[in-house]
Amino acid sequence: MRLFLDTANIQEIRDGARLGVISGVTTNPSLAATEGIGDRESYKSAVQEIADIVDGPISVEVVSLDSAGMIDEGREIAEWIPDPWVKIPSTPDGFEAISTLAKDGIKVNQTLCFSVNQALLGAQAGSTVVSPFIGRLDDIGHEGIELVGEIVDVFEKHHIQTQVLAASIRHTLHCTMAAQVGAHIATVPYRVLLQMVQHPLTDAGLDRFISDWKKASGS
Ligand code: E4P
């Protein structure tokens, strides 16, 4: 399972990329707004800066609600960076846009997916990846991780090439479980990435190694 960073914060992306474990970035309009980005030109320049830092797919979301607008935006976004994944929502207009963009050879991250049927529709339309949202399903009392596993199983059973990107990850266990149920990619907030690194026994073990070494070397 590959790991992406789920943020539009340039510093977080720089810091995360330095670990050498990140192979892509996902953004969305809310993440962009958190960074004070609210117009096309600023989104474009932030995305270009992200693409300079991370050598991998960068997901950029459209904000139109109608298929024609999504297609126009998707075609424009596809010119911004070397490896764009255009994020299109799982709506009727979205499926129409996905099928047109996929025919153009543009890679699509089908976002806001909350059911196996939406994932199946996106796959037929030509989504490169589908993003089931774990945390938002948990928020309304469903086990979000189960959806990820169900989509993985159905895609495997039917030899569907669309990959499964576990999104809306809120904590480290989500990431572990996404890997266990076979997600191809998990996109994690920077905070969760840092938590994934941590283990108290690693810290305690390191303290012991260093203090034993200092004692033995008399330093
Ligand atoms: C990523 O592609 C999604 O937009 C993101 O993971 C959503 O996360 P949230 O539900 O925590 O906002």
Side-chain angles (χ1 to χ4, degrees):
M1 184 180 77
R2 288 193 286 162
L3 278 180
F4 288 7
L5 264 184
D6 193 25
T7 180
N9 182 290
I10 300 295
Q11 193 56 51
E12 288 184 350
I13 292 166
R14 278 191 206 291
D15 293 343
R18 207 172 297 126
L19 300 187
V21 298
I22 295 303
S23 50
V25 173
T26 52
T27 68
N28 65 36
S30 303
L31 292 170
T34 304
E35 303 309 317
I37 299 164
D39 64 86
R40 204 101 204 112
E41 275 315 299
S42 338
Y43 199 10
K44 179 178 176 181
S45 61
V47 165
Q48 288 175 333
E49 202 173 347
I50 293 168
D52 285 341
I53 302 166
V54 175
D55 183 18
I58 314 299
S59 290
V60 184
E61 189 152 347
V62 299
V63 289
S64 297
L65 296 176
D66 63 303
S67 57
M70 290 182 198
I71 292 163
D72 284 350
E73 277 190 69
R75 286 177 173 151
E76 192 193 318
I77 290 165
E79 301 295 320
W80 290 359
I81 50 173
D83 196 359
W85 284 4
V86 178
K87 281 178 90 176
I88 305 279
S90 307
T91 61
D93 280 80
F95 294 123
E96 194 180 331
I98 291 169
S99 77
T100 300
L101 293 170
K103 284 188 193 98
D104 283 359
I106 293 169
K107 292 190 173 164
V108 172
N109 174 348
Q110 179 197 342
T111 191
L112 289 169
C113 175
F114 294 98
S115 73
V116 174
N117 282 334
Q118 287 181 328
L120 275 171
L121 291 168
Q124 301 313 303
S127 299
T128 308
V129 291
V130 61
S131 291
F133 275 37
I134 302 173
R136 293 193 195 187
L137 278 169
D138 288 359
D139 289 346
I140 59 159
H142 292 265
E143 276 286 5
I145 199 68
E146 282 180 6
L147 174 63
V148 178
E150 285 166 6
I151 297 172
V152 168
D153 289 348
V154 167
F155 281 10
E156 273 176 12
K157 189 168 283 175
H158 295 282
H159 309 290
I160 289 170
Q161 299 303 310
T162 302
Q163 294 207 333
V164 180
L165 189 162
S168 188
I169 283 183
R170 303 277 170 78
H171 50 70
T172 53
L173 192 55
H174 275 158
C175 192
T176 306
M177 291 191 297
Q180 286 169 334
V181 300
H184 302 92
I185 304 164
T187 188
V188 298
Y190 181 63
R191 170 185 53 79
V192 173
L193 179 70
L194 293 185
Q195 289 168 343
M196 288 169 71
V197 176
Q198 294 301 324
H199 198 288
L201 290 180
T202 303
D203 297 341
L206 192 56
D207 283 350
R208 169 96 64 87
F209 285 152
I210 299 302
S211 78
D212 287 348
W213 179 255
K214 280 182 178 164
K215 268 184 243 155
S217 63
S219 58

